[in-house]
Amino acid sequence: MTDPVDQHYTPRELAQAIVFALVKHGDLQPNDRVLDPCVGLGAFSDAVRAVEFADSLRVITNDIDSSATADLHHDYLSMQYVGDLFQLIVSNPPYSL
């Protein structure tokens, strides 16, 4: 049986390592606006919210699956974002994209 929303969750440890690297290399900085367009179980957004300067960040989450805990529930590919809305997008998009 095929999963209708093609869900493949990122291990939390991997998401934490990626976010740590983003901080280390200066790609994630205080006061950034961060988007996770395919939040799933929240591995990336939780890792972002755990950085030392998390209180200064604005993290927006989205997921097409209405049962996911997300700020928005839209098909990310049909959404239109202004280029300067977010400084960083972190996610593990579904494999079928």
Side-chain angles (χ1 to χ4, degrees):
M1 179 178 207
T2 304
D3 183 346
V5 289
D6 200 19
Q7 297 170 328
H8 303 277
Y9 299 117
T10 305
R12 291 194 176 276
E13 297 80 16
L14 177 58
Q16 290 166 347
I18 291 169
V19 170
F20 175 81
L22 291 169
V23 172
K24 181 179 177 183
H25 294 285
D27 295 312
L28 176 59
Q29 299 180 12
N31 302 308
D32 276 356
R33 289 180 307 275
V34 181
L35 172 66
D36 185 345
C38 308
V39 72
L41 298 177
F44 280 105
S45 57
D46 289 348
V48 168
R49 289 179 174 125
V51 300
E52 183 177 329
F53 49 86
D55 289 346
S56 75
L57 300 173
R58 175 74 170 117
V59 181
I60 302 293
T61 58
N62 177 69
D63 204 292
I64 194 170
D65 183 353
S66 62
S67 68
T69 302
D71 300 309
L72 306 169
H73 293 284
H74 298 285
D75 178 351
Y76 172 70
L77 296 178
S78 69
M79 297 173 74
Q80 295 181 357
Y81 292 106
V82 179
D84 62 354
L85 261 176
F86 299 98
Q87 284 74 38
L88 184 67
I89 297 175
V90 293
S91 193
N92 177 12
Y95 294 155
S96 65
L97 293 181

